[in-house]
Amino acid sequence: MENLLKVTIDGKSIEVPPGTTILQAARQLGGNYPPAMCYYSSLKDTGGKCRVCLVKVAQTSETNPRPMPKLVASCLTRVEQGMVVENQSSPEVLEARNGVVEFLLINHPLDCPVCDQAGECDLQNLSYEHGTEGTRYEEQRREFNKIDIGPYVQLHMTRCILCYRCVYAAEQLTDSRVHGVLNRGDVSEISTYIQNAIDKDFSGNIIDVCPVGALTDKTYRFKQRVWFSKPFNAHRSCAKCSGQTIAWMKGDAIIRITARKNAFGEVEDFICNECRFEHKQLSDWTIEGPRDMGEDSVISANKYELPVISPAVNVDAKFVSE
Amino acid sequence: MKILLEHIDKPGIQSIDGYIKNGGYRSVEKALKQLSPDQLVEEVKTSGLRGRGGAGFPTGMKWSFLDKKSDKPKYLVCNADESEPGTFKDRYLMEHIPHLLIEGMIVSSFALTAKTSYIYVRGEMMYIIRILEKAIAEAYAKGYLGKNILGSGYDLDLYVQAGGGAYICGEETALLESLEGKRGNPRNKPPFPAVWGLYGCPTVVNNVETIAAVPWIVNNGGAAYAGIGIGKSTGTKLISACGNINKPGVYEIELGLPVEEFIYSETYCGGIANGRELKAVVAGGSSVPILPKNLILKTANQDARLMSYESLSDGGFISGTMLGSGGFIVFDDQSCIVRNLWNFTRFYHHESCGQCSPCREGTGWMEKVLHRIEHGHGKLTDIDLLVDVAKKIEGKTICPLGEAAAWPVASAIRHFRDEFEAHVRNPESCNARHLHFETAMSH
Ligand SMILES: Cc1cc2nc3c(=O)[nH]c(=O)nc-3n(C[C@H](O)[C@H](O)[C@H](O)COP(=O)(O)O)c2cc1C
Ligand code: SF4
Ligand code: FES
């Protein structure tokens, strides 16, 4: 292989091609890679904004053994030959990350009990690991009115963390972007130009890339807590997209269709709006079998291979202890 | 010793004829006809000139980073977005002696092999934009701009762009985004503008005052410039002085002038107004740490504090500050540090672009807590909370606005903690004083 670069992250080394970022290298190493709330590997120009992926570069390179003066965004910083990185092993990184999570939460409504995203929310997961029980924030929280952005998607701006993923997704996946970021600072908001409906094909993917519950599926609103539904790999033949989806079932009914996500929470293959919103009949789909959501997911806590009879039977020890 | 403002009082200096009569545009002749771009970069390196926009980065070094080998066009962009509270030197220079900036832009563009250059002017300063546009038209008419300048074969077009109306557009990469017609969000760095600047081309961004110093360096040589000032703080600096002083205004000082002389001498600030006592100074625009009287006049080692990059930052952030942009804000013994800090944080909260979480959320948090303290609803624990929030912003953000918001908070509490505690303990007296401010402001 042509000149690979060796990088050491929390004591573990890996060789990667030039151009690889610290975050990508860390993901290849597995284990405790830095979290990412704004970076999305399949969307160009994402990253650098949320700052939860900050890491410490203890040695810049073989030839430049000095540390980098500040913590750097691992999603954008490229690996150099002989770079040494501290992620979870650095108290400084953990303190900074806890700080960022606190910042993300101070104006968040914490309305998980009524939020469709709960159970598959990156912010919720992040706060389990890096948040505190209480809050030091006593001021009034920021609130926005809900904005109606068409037949399929509900924008609940109060929950948005301004990761810009949906903006890049719309820019790169649909034929024209009709929403963006308006205003500045902590009153910035995701909005459509003069309440334009987001009904471009492929626009439904903004729901999947949103790390929180700011963009939710109107055809699924309040239908079910995700952990009480059962995800199945499903496909249909589609002229517009791969047709490879997850069908979320409740009994024999399909209550939601989403794209399939990988271990890093990123969509494997973006799907079209027709597959996502218009085919909710079991007969529309070929069901391949249960979808493995990974051990850590609260969704896996529910043994969905078994028929749901009563919660007591299905709730395993892990779920109870959490 | 005056370099920038030497001719400012000459009659007709605003027009090109008056300017040429006083020796203007000589550096263009010399640079384009006798010197090569690389020689010019060397002269500026020799001069020791440092960026006057705030960070004090050596200008010659910045110029030498420009990727000249790239086959893309090179750009010079002048940062005239001046919006930092307390800083009003660039507009003074552009208003009174606009051709000095145009002349500087021509020789600097030549040094950087740029064929198109921009002056990005704070959008609120329409009158400055008109002055510059007139000056540029005059320079075109006289053959200092356009095709084949003075028969040298060098072509340059110079444009004025009105800014987007936000402090953040003064941050160089936000400025470039805005100049490209986009939302003024700072970019993540690297890549730096020298490699990936305007439209992805190699670009240098320099402050107005930095560029205005270049003609003198070309005319008199870098070594002569380096002979002025003190140590690595070479040349002169414009200081915009304001606050409780007898003579607010813009002064050109030789770097190395004692701070005490600057505050008390009749040539400069003329002492504290209304016979009051000096309490504190913010020496380099609202984002640099505030220092109390004892530390602004003398360093922790009891040396006289000088107006230079090194002396002002002596003692680091424990007992020092920064020269910054030269916005010199003086507080007398009656002024309220808490109220002033609340005002500063209000500014940064309002001006944060909102891209990155620590700055977007942290600036608002600090402002709200300070608003409570200033209005008599604070708690003692709020003071340490502020210090902690500032610390969690500092160094974690995309651009230095985070630091600019955090440093004033950290330094005000470091040096004036007792005042914050007094606000918490005596809410009634806060309210009384508050009323006093409101009435004063309504007059
Ligand atoms: C929030 C923010 C605002 C800034 N505003 C200005 C400004 O108004 N004018 C300026 O010259 N530099 C400003 N700067 C500094 C610029 O980013 C840049 O460093 C400077 O223009 C470089 O010029 P110099 O090397 O000549 O100093 C600002 C920086 C930040 C972070
Ligand atoms: S709506 Fe969701 S995807 Fe869009 S910026 Fe906000 S948090 Fe990110
Ligand atoms: S994931 Fe790197 S800054 Fe958001």
Side-chain angles (χ1 to χ4, degrees), chain A residues 48-51 70 76 95-96 99 102-104 106-107 136-140 142 161-162 164 181 183-186, chain B residues 166 183 185 188 349-358 360-362 365 368 372 379 388 391 396-398 403:
Chain A
K49 294 185 185 348
C50 72
R51 317 306 282 179
K70 291 179 185 177
L76 295 180
E95 193 190 348
E102 181 175 29
F103 285 135
L104 288 176
I106 58 171
N107 275 303
R136 301 189 288 171
Y137 190 70
E138 295 172 18
E139 324 306 321
Q140 181 143 22
R142 179 170 64 227
I161 61 158
L162 282 166
Y164 283 59
V181 178
N183 298 328
R184 189 170 70 209
D186 65 0
Chain B
R183 184 184 164 88
N185 275 356
N188 273 284
H349 175 204
H350 186 252
E351 297 299 333
S352 166
C353 83
Q355 255 190 123
C356 64
S357 344
R360 177 182 67 240
E361 305 298 341
W365 194 356
K368 288 174 186 161
R372 271 200 287 110
K379 294 178 300 194
D388 192 57
K391 183 169 162 233
K396 321 284 188 297
T397 53
I398 297 177
E403 275 92 59

Short mmCIF file of all heavy atoms in Angstrom, two decimals, chain A residues 48-51 70 76 95-96 99 102-104 106-107 136-140 142 161-162 164 181 183-186, chain B residues 166 183 185 188 349-358 360-362 365 368 372 379 388 391 396-398 403:
data_model
loop_
_atom_site.label_atom_id
_atom_site.label_comp_id
_atom_site.label_asym_id
_atom_site.label_seq_id
_atom_site.Cartn_x
_atom_site.Cartn_y
_atom_site.Cartn_z
N GLY A 48 -17.29 20.12 12.15
CA GLY A 48 -16.61 21.31 12.67
C GLY A 48 -17.49 22.22 13.50
O GLY A 48 -17.01 23.18 14.07
N LYS A 49 -18.78 21.93 13.58
CA LYS A 49 -19.67 22.89 14.22
C LYS A 49 -20.03 22.55 15.67
O LYS A 49 -19.98 23.38 16.54
CB LYS A 49 -20.94 23.03 13.40
CG LYS A 49 -20.70 23.67 12.02
CD LYS A 49 -22.00 23.89 11.34
CE LYS A 49 -21.94 24.40 9.92
NZ LYS A 49 -20.72 24.89 9.35
N CYS A 50 -20.41 21.28 15.92
CA CYS A 50 -20.95 20.98 17.25
C CYS A 50 -19.86 20.95 18.32
O CYS A 50 -20.11 21.25 19.46
CB CYS A 50 -21.70 19.66 17.22
SG CYS A 50 -20.61 18.23 17.06
N ARG A 51 -18.67 20.55 17.97
CA ARG A 51 -17.48 20.52 18.84
C ARG A 51 -17.50 19.36 19.86
O ARG A 51 -16.70 19.37 20.78
CB ARG A 51 -17.24 21.85 19.58
CG ARG A 51 -17.42 23.11 18.76
CD ARG A 51 -16.62 23.18 17.50
NE ARG A 51 -15.22 23.52 17.68
CZ ARG A 51 -14.36 23.61 16.67
NH1 ARG A 51 -14.74 23.39 15.43
NH2 ARG A 51 -13.10 23.92 16.90
N LYS A 70 -4.43 23.93 20.73
CA LYS A 70 -5.80 23.83 21.24
C LYS A 70 -6.33 22.44 20.94
O LYS A 70 -5.80 21.74 20.09
CB LYS A 70 -6.72 24.82 20.51
CG LYS A 70 -6.47 26.27 20.80
CD LYS A 70 -7.45 27.09 19.97
CE LYS A 70 -7.20 28.57 20.12
NZ LYS A 70 -8.11 29.36 19.28
N LEU A 76 -12.51 16.95 11.35
CA LEU A 76 -11.93 17.70 10.24
C LEU A 76 -10.41 17.61 10.20
O LEU A 76 -9.79 17.90 9.18
CB LEU A 76 -12.31 19.18 10.33
CG LEU A 76 -13.78 19.52 10.17
CD1 LEU A 76 -13.98 21.02 10.30
CD2 LEU A 76 -14.31 19.05 8.82
N GLU A 95 -13.44 16.92 29.88
CA GLU A 95 -14.02 18.13 30.47
C GLU A 95 -14.62 19.01 29.38
O GLU A 95 -15.73 19.54 29.51
CB GLU A 95 -12.95 18.90 31.26
CG GLU A 95 -13.59 19.96 32.12
CD GLU A 95 -12.60 20.93 32.74
OE1 GLU A 95 -11.38 20.66 32.70
OE2 GLU A 95 -13.06 21.97 33.25
N ALA A 96 -13.87 19.15 28.27
CA ALA A 96 -14.38 19.97 27.17
C ALA A 96 -15.66 19.36 26.61
O ALA A 96 -16.63 20.05 26.33
CB ALA A 96 -13.32 20.08 26.08
N GLY A 99 -18.50 19.86 28.72
CA GLY A 99 -18.90 21.27 28.57
C GLY A 99 -19.76 21.47 27.34
O GLY A 99 -20.80 22.13 27.39
N GLU A 102 -23.16 20.11 27.87
CA GLU A 102 -23.94 21.03 28.70
C GLU A 102 -24.47 22.18 27.84
O GLU A 102 -25.65 22.56 27.94
CB GLU A 102 -23.08 21.56 29.85
CG GLU A 102 -23.85 22.50 30.77
CD GLU A 102 -23.04 22.94 31.98
OE1 GLU A 102 -21.80 23.00 31.88
OE2 GLU A 102 -23.65 23.23 33.03
N PHE A 103 -23.61 22.73 26.98
CA PHE A 103 -24.05 23.82 26.11
C PHE A 103 -25.20 23.37 25.20
O PHE A 103 -26.15 24.11 24.97
CB PHE A 103 -22.89 24.34 25.25
CG PHE A 103 -21.90 25.19 26.01
CD1 PHE A 103 -20.54 24.99 25.86
CD2 PHE A 103 -22.34 26.20 26.85
CE1 PHE A 103 -19.63 25.78 26.55
CE2 PHE A 103 -21.43 27.00 27.54
CZ PHE A 103 -20.06 26.78 27.39
N LEU A 104 -25.10 22.14 24.69
CA LEU A 104 -26.16 21.66 23.79
C LEU A 104 -27.47 21.48 24.54
O LEU A 104 -28.55 21.52 23.95
CB LEU A 104 -25.75 20.33 23.15
CG LEU A 104 -24.65 20.39 22.08
CD1 LEU A 104 -24.30 18.99 21.61
CD2 LEU A 104 -25.10 21.26 20.90
N ILE A 106 -28.47 23.27 27.44
CA ILE A 106 -29.06 24.35 28.25
C ILE A 106 -30.32 24.93 27.60
O ILE A 106 -31.24 25.32 28.29
CB ILE A 106 -28.07 25.50 28.59
CG1 ILE A 106 -27.50 26.14 27.35
CG2 ILE A 106 -27.00 25.03 29.56
CD1 ILE A 106 -26.69 27.41 27.66
N ASN A 107 -30.34 24.97 26.29
CA ASN A 107 -31.55 25.50 25.65
C ASN A 107 -32.41 24.42 25.01
O ASN A 107 -33.33 24.70 24.26
CB ASN A 107 -31.17 26.55 24.62
CG ASN A 107 -31.01 27.92 25.26
OD1 ASN A 107 -31.93 28.42 25.90
ND2 ASN A 107 -29.83 28.50 25.15
N ARG A 136 -27.16 23.53 35.61
CA ARG A 136 -26.75 24.77 36.26
C ARG A 136 -27.44 25.96 35.60
O ARG A 136 -27.19 27.10 35.93
CB ARG A 136 -25.24 24.95 36.16
CG ARG A 136 -24.45 23.82 36.78
CD ARG A 136 -22.98 24.17 36.84
NE ARG A 136 -22.36 24.16 35.51
CZ ARG A 136 -21.13 24.59 35.26
NH1 ARG A 136 -20.39 25.10 36.24
NH2 ARG A 136 -20.62 24.52 34.04
N TYR A 137 -28.27 25.65 34.63
CA TYR A 137 -28.87 26.73 33.83
C TYR A 137 -30.21 27.14 34.41
O TYR A 137 -31.14 26.33 34.48
CB TYR A 137 -29.06 26.23 32.40
CG TYR A 137 -29.43 27.29 31.40
CD1 TYR A 137 -28.50 28.27 31.03
CD2 TYR A 137 -30.69 27.32 30.81
CE1 TYR A 137 -28.83 29.24 30.09
CE2 TYR A 137 -31.02 28.29 29.88
CZ TYR A 137 -30.09 29.24 29.53
OH TYR A 137 -30.42 30.19 28.59
N GLU A 138 -30.29 28.38 34.86
CA GLU A 138 -31.52 28.82 35.52
C GLU A 138 -32.29 29.82 34.67
O GLU A 138 -33.29 30.37 35.10
CB GLU A 138 -31.17 29.51 36.84
CG GLU A 138 -30.56 28.57 37.84
CD GLU A 138 -30.05 29.31 39.07
OE1 GLU A 138 -30.46 30.47 39.28
OE2 GLU A 138 -29.23 28.73 39.78
N GLU A 139 -31.75 30.12 33.51
CA GLU A 139 -32.37 31.18 32.72
C GLU A 139 -33.52 30.58 31.90
O GLU A 139 -33.69 29.37 31.82
CB GLU A 139 -31.34 31.83 31.78
CG GLU A 139 -29.94 31.97 32.36
CD GLU A 139 -29.87 32.68 33.70
OE1 GLU A 139 -30.63 33.65 33.89
OE2 GLU A 139 -29.07 32.26 34.57
N GLN A 140 -34.25 31.47 31.27
CA GLN A 140 -35.34 31.01 30.41
C GLN A 140 -34.77 30.27 29.19
O GLN A 140 -33.80 30.72 28.60
CB GLN A 140 -36.14 32.22 29.94
CG GLN A 140 -37.28 31.82 29.08
CD GLN A 140 -38.50 32.69 29.32
OE1 GLN A 140 -38.41 33.80 29.82
NE2 GLN A 140 -39.67 32.16 28.98
N ARG A 142 -34.75 28.86 25.35
CA ARG A 142 -35.15 29.39 24.05
C ARG A 142 -36.33 28.58 23.50
O ARG A 142 -36.36 27.37 23.62
CB ARG A 142 -33.95 29.24 23.13
CG ARG A 142 -34.10 29.70 21.73
CD ARG A 142 -32.73 29.70 21.05
NE ARG A 142 -32.16 28.37 20.93
CZ ARG A 142 -30.90 28.06 21.24
NH1 ARG A 142 -30.10 28.98 21.73
NH2 ARG A 142 -30.45 26.85 21.10
N ILE A 161 -30.21 21.44 17.27
CA ILE A 161 -28.90 21.81 17.80
C ILE A 161 -28.05 22.50 16.74
O ILE A 161 -26.85 22.67 16.90
CB ILE A 161 -28.14 20.59 18.36
CG1 ILE A 161 -27.90 19.56 17.25
CG2 ILE A 161 -28.86 19.98 19.55
CD1 ILE A 161 -26.74 18.63 17.56
N LEU A 162 -28.64 22.90 15.65
CA LEU A 162 -27.98 23.64 14.57
C LEU A 162 -26.73 22.94 14.05
O LEU A 162 -25.68 23.55 13.88
CB LEU A 162 -27.65 25.07 15.06
CG LEU A 162 -28.88 25.98 15.05
CD1 LEU A 162 -28.60 27.25 15.85
CD2 LEU A 162 -29.31 26.33 13.63
N TYR A 164 -26.56 21.69 11.10
CA TYR A 164 -26.55 21.99 9.66
C TYR A 164 -26.64 20.73 8.78
O TYR A 164 -26.54 20.82 7.57
CB TYR A 164 -25.31 22.78 9.23
CG TYR A 164 -25.29 24.26 9.55
CD1 TYR A 164 -25.40 24.72 10.86
CD2 TYR A 164 -25.12 25.21 8.54
CE1 TYR A 164 -25.34 26.08 11.15
CE2 TYR A 164 -25.06 26.57 8.83
CZ TYR A 164 -25.17 26.99 10.14
OH TYR A 164 -25.10 28.34 10.43
N VAL A 181 -30.48 28.20 7.18
CA VAL A 181 -30.37 28.79 8.50
C VAL A 181 -30.63 30.28 8.39
O VAL A 181 -29.98 30.97 7.60
CB VAL A 181 -28.98 28.53 9.10
CG1 VAL A 181 -28.85 29.20 10.46
CG2 VAL A 181 -28.72 27.04 9.22
N ASN A 183 -31.11 34.03 10.51
CA ASN A 183 -30.71 34.76 11.71
C ASN A 183 -29.35 34.30 12.24
O ASN A 183 -28.66 33.49 11.61
CB ASN A 183 -31.77 34.68 12.81
CG ASN A 183 -33.06 35.32 12.34
OD1 ASN A 183 -33.03 36.27 11.56
ND2 ASN A 183 -34.17 34.78 12.78
N ARG A 184 -29.01 34.80 13.41
CA ARG A 184 -27.63 34.68 13.89
C ARG A 184 -27.63 34.23 15.34
O ARG A 184 -28.60 34.45 16.06
CB ARG A 184 -26.99 36.06 13.76
CG ARG A 184 -25.52 36.12 13.99
CD ARG A 184 -24.98 37.48 13.58
NE ARG A 184 -25.41 38.53 14.47
CZ ARG A 184 -25.57 39.80 14.11
NH1 ARG A 184 -25.34 40.18 12.89
NH2 ARG A 184 -25.96 40.71 14.99
N GLY A 185 -26.51 33.62 15.74
CA GLY A 185 -26.29 33.32 17.15
C GLY A 185 -27.35 32.39 17.70
O GLY A 185 -27.82 31.49 16.99
N ASP A 186 -27.74 32.59 18.96
CA ASP A 186 -28.66 31.64 19.56
C ASP A 186 -30.11 31.87 19.15
O ASP A 186 -30.99 31.18 19.64
CB ASP A 186 -28.49 31.57 21.09
CG ASP A 186 -28.86 32.87 21.77
OD1 ASP A 186 -29.25 33.82 21.08
OD2 ASP A 186 -28.75 32.94 23.01
N ALA B 166 -22.40 42.68 10.35
CA ALA B 166 -22.22 41.85 11.53
C ALA B 166 -20.76 41.91 11.96
O ALA B 166 -19.87 41.90 11.12
CB ALA B 166 -22.60 40.40 11.24
N ARG B 183 -23.59 33.54 3.61
CA ARG B 183 -23.76 33.85 5.03
C ARG B 183 -22.37 33.99 5.66
O ARG B 183 -21.48 33.18 5.40
CB ARG B 183 -24.51 32.67 5.64
CG ARG B 183 -24.89 32.80 7.05
CD ARG B 183 -25.52 31.48 7.52
NE ARG B 183 -25.55 31.47 8.95
CZ ARG B 183 -26.54 31.98 9.68
NH1 ARG B 183 -27.60 32.47 9.08
NH2 ARG B 183 -26.48 31.98 10.99
N ASN B 185 -20.35 33.11 7.94
CA ASN B 185 -19.94 32.14 8.95
C ASN B 185 -18.44 31.91 8.85
O ASN B 185 -17.95 31.64 7.75
CB ASN B 185 -20.63 30.79 8.73
CG ASN B 185 -22.00 30.71 9.35
OD1 ASN B 185 -22.44 31.64 10.03
ND2 ASN B 185 -22.69 29.61 9.13
N ASN B 188 -13.73 26.67 9.28
CA ASN B 188 -12.77 25.93 10.09
C ASN B 188 -11.40 26.04 9.44
O ASN B 188 -11.28 25.98 8.23
CB ASN B 188 -13.20 24.47 10.17
CG ASN B 188 -14.18 24.22 11.31
OD1 ASN B 188 -13.78 24.18 12.47
ND2 ASN B 188 -15.45 24.09 11.00
N HIS B 349 -22.92 38.15 22.71
CA HIS B 349 -24.10 37.30 22.56
C HIS B 349 -24.83 37.66 21.27
O HIS B 349 -25.21 36.80 20.47
CB HIS B 349 -25.01 37.50 23.78
CG HIS B 349 -26.31 36.77 23.70
ND1 HIS B 349 -27.42 37.17 24.40
CD2 HIS B 349 -26.68 35.68 23.00
CE1 HIS B 349 -28.43 36.34 24.14
NE2 HIS B 349 -28.01 35.43 23.29
N HIS B 350 -24.98 38.95 21.06
CA HIS B 350 -25.70 39.42 19.88
C HIS B 350 -24.93 39.10 18.59
O HIS B 350 -25.53 38.91 17.54
CB HIS B 350 -25.92 40.93 20.01
CG HIS B 350 -26.76 41.52 18.93
ND1 HIS B 350 -26.25 42.32 17.94
CD2 HIS B 350 -28.09 41.42 18.69
CE1 HIS B 350 -27.24 42.69 17.13
NE2 HIS B 350 -28.35 42.16 17.56
N GLU B 351 -23.61 39.07 18.66
CA GLU B 351 -22.81 38.97 17.45
C GLU B 351 -22.32 37.55 17.13
O GLU B 351 -21.75 37.32 16.07
CB GLU B 351 -21.60 39.92 17.53
CG GLU B 351 -21.99 41.39 17.62
CD GLU B 351 -22.77 41.88 16.41
OE1 GLU B 351 -22.62 41.31 15.32
OE2 GLU B 351 -23.57 42.82 16.57
N SER B 352 -22.50 36.60 18.04
CA SER B 352 -22.08 35.23 17.76
C SER B 352 -22.80 34.73 16.50
O SER B 352 -23.99 34.95 16.33
CB SER B 352 -22.45 34.34 18.94
OG SER B 352 -22.36 32.98 18.57
N CYS B 353 -22.07 34.05 15.64
CA CYS B 353 -22.71 33.61 14.39
C CYS B 353 -23.65 32.44 14.65
O CYS B 353 -24.57 32.20 13.89
CB CYS B 353 -21.66 33.23 13.33
SG CYS B 353 -21.00 31.57 13.48
N GLY B 354 -23.39 31.69 15.71
CA GLY B 354 -24.30 30.60 16.07
C GLY B 354 -23.95 29.26 15.47
O GLY B 354 -24.70 28.30 15.61
N GLN B 355 -22.82 29.17 14.78
CA GLN B 355 -22.45 27.90 14.17
C GLN B 355 -22.02 26.87 15.20
O GLN B 355 -22.41 25.72 15.15
CB GLN B 355 -21.24 28.12 13.27
CG GLN B 355 -21.47 28.13 11.83
CD GLN B 355 -20.13 28.12 11.09
OE1 GLN B 355 -19.89 27.24 10.31
NE2 GLN B 355 -19.29 29.09 11.34
N CYS B 356 -21.13 27.26 16.11
CA CYS B 356 -20.61 26.24 17.02
C CYS B 356 -21.24 26.37 18.40
O CYS B 356 -21.52 27.46 18.88
CB CYS B 356 -19.08 26.26 17.07
SG CYS B 356 -18.31 27.73 17.70
N SER B 357 -21.46 25.22 19.01
CA SER B 357 -22.26 25.20 20.24
C SER B 357 -21.68 26.01 21.39
O SER B 357 -22.43 26.71 22.06
CB SER B 357 -22.51 23.76 20.70
OG SER B 357 -22.26 22.84 19.70
N PRO B 358 -20.35 25.94 21.66
CA PRO B 358 -19.88 26.65 22.85
C PRO B 358 -20.13 28.16 22.76
O PRO B 358 -20.57 28.77 23.74
CB PRO B 358 -18.38 26.36 22.87
CG PRO B 358 -18.21 25.13 22.06
CD PRO B 358 -19.27 25.18 21.01
N ARG B 360 -22.31 29.80 20.61
CA ARG B 360 -23.75 30.10 20.46
C ARG B 360 -24.45 30.07 21.80
O ARG B 360 -25.19 30.99 22.15
CB ARG B 360 -24.39 29.08 19.52
CG ARG B 360 -25.89 29.28 19.35
CD ARG B 360 -26.52 28.23 18.44
NE ARG B 360 -26.48 26.90 19.01
CZ ARG B 360 -25.87 25.85 18.48
NH1 ARG B 360 -25.21 25.99 17.34
NH2 ARG B 360 -25.88 24.68 19.06
N GLU B 361 -24.20 29.02 22.58
CA GLU B 361 -24.92 28.85 23.84
C GLU B 361 -24.23 29.59 24.99
O GLU B 361 -24.89 30.16 25.84
CB GLU B 361 -25.07 27.37 24.18
CG GLU B 361 -25.72 26.53 23.09
CD GLU B 361 -27.16 26.95 22.77
OE1 GLU B 361 -27.77 27.64 23.61
OE2 GLU B 361 -27.65 26.60 21.68
N GLY B 362 -22.90 29.56 24.99
CA GLY B 362 -22.16 30.13 26.11
C GLY B 362 -22.27 31.65 26.20
O GLY B 362 -22.38 32.21 27.29
N TRP B 365 -25.58 32.54 27.70
CA TRP B 365 -25.63 32.16 29.12
C TRP B 365 -24.92 33.22 29.97
O TRP B 365 -25.47 33.71 30.97
CB TRP B 365 -24.97 30.78 29.27
CG TRP B 365 -25.22 30.11 30.58
CD1 TRP B 365 -25.89 30.60 31.66
CD2 TRP B 365 -24.78 28.78 30.95
NE1 TRP B 365 -25.91 29.68 32.67
CE2 TRP B 365 -25.23 28.56 32.27
CE3 TRP B 365 -24.06 27.78 30.30
CZ2 TRP B 365 -24.96 27.37 32.94
CZ3 TRP B 365 -23.81 26.60 30.97
CH2 TRP B 365 -24.25 26.39 32.28
N LYS B 368 -26.93 36.40 30.26
CA LYS B 368 -28.12 36.33 31.12
C LYS B 368 -27.74 36.33 32.60
O LYS B 368 -28.40 36.98 33.41
CB LYS B 368 -28.94 35.09 30.78
CG LYS B 368 -29.65 35.24 29.44
CD LYS B 368 -30.33 33.95 29.04
CE LYS B 368 -30.92 34.07 27.64
NZ LYS B 368 -31.17 32.76 27.05
N ARG B 372 -28.60 39.30 35.39
CA ARG B 372 -29.19 39.08 36.71
C ARG B 372 -28.36 39.76 37.80
O ARG B 372 -28.89 40.45 38.66
CB ARG B 372 -29.28 37.58 37.00
CG ARG B 372 -30.56 36.94 36.51
CD ARG B 372 -30.84 35.62 37.23
NE ARG B 372 -29.97 34.54 36.82
CZ ARG B 372 -29.02 34.00 37.58
NH1 ARG B 372 -28.83 34.45 38.82
NH2 ARG B 372 -28.27 33.03 37.14
N LYS B 379 -26.46 35.54 42.52
CA LYS B 379 -26.10 34.73 43.68
C LYS B 379 -24.58 34.63 43.70
O LYS B 379 -23.95 34.75 42.64
CB LYS B 379 -26.69 33.32 43.56
CG LYS B 379 -28.20 33.31 43.62
CD LYS B 379 -28.72 31.90 43.45
CE LYS B 379 -28.27 31.39 42.12
NZ LYS B 379 -28.84 30.25 41.57
N ASP B 388 -16.44 29.47 34.99
CA ASP B 388 -16.43 28.13 34.40
C ASP B 388 -16.99 28.14 32.98
O ASP B 388 -16.44 27.49 32.09
CB ASP B 388 -17.25 27.18 35.29
CG ASP B 388 -17.02 25.73 34.88
OD1 ASP B 388 -15.84 25.32 34.88
OD2 ASP B 388 -17.99 25.05 34.53
N LYS B 391 -14.43 29.49 30.69
CA LYS B 391 -13.37 28.51 30.46
C LYS B 391 -13.82 27.44 29.46
O LYS B 391 -13.02 26.93 28.67
CB LYS B 391 -13.02 27.86 31.81
CG LYS B 391 -11.89 26.88 31.75
CD LYS B 391 -11.41 26.50 33.13
CE LYS B 391 -10.61 25.21 33.04
NZ LYS B 391 -11.09 24.18 33.96
N LYS B 396 -12.42 26.29 22.41
CA LYS B 396 -13.24 25.19 21.92
C LYS B 396 -14.01 25.57 20.65
O LYS B 396 -14.79 24.78 20.15
CB LYS B 396 -14.28 24.76 22.97
CG LYS B 396 -13.80 24.77 24.41
CD LYS B 396 -12.91 23.58 24.73
CE LYS B 396 -12.59 23.48 26.21
NZ LYS B 396 -11.83 24.62 26.75
N THR B 397 -13.84 26.79 20.19
CA THR B 397 -14.74 27.31 19.15
C THR B 397 -14.08 27.31 17.78
O THR B 397 -12.88 27.08 17.65
CB THR B 397 -15.18 28.74 19.52
OG1 THR B 397 -14.01 29.54 19.76
CG2 THR B 397 -16.04 28.74 20.76
N ILE B 398 -14.89 27.58 16.75
CA ILE B 398 -14.36 27.60 15.39
C ILE B 398 -13.46 28.81 15.18
O ILE B 398 -12.42 28.72 14.56
CB ILE B 398 -15.53 27.65 14.37
CG1 ILE B 398 -16.37 26.37 14.48
CG2 ILE B 398 -15.01 27.85 12.95
CD1 ILE B 398 -17.58 26.36 13.56
N GLU B 403 -13.09 33.26 22.32
CA GLU B 403 -12.13 33.84 23.26
C GLU B 403 -12.46 35.30 23.55
O GLU B 403 -12.39 35.76 24.67
CB GLU B 403 -10.70 33.78 22.71
CG GLU B 403 -9.98 32.48 22.96
CD GLU B 403 -10.16 31.50 21.82
OE1 GLU B 403 -9.78 31.84 20.69
OE2 GLU B 403 -10.69 30.40 22.04
#
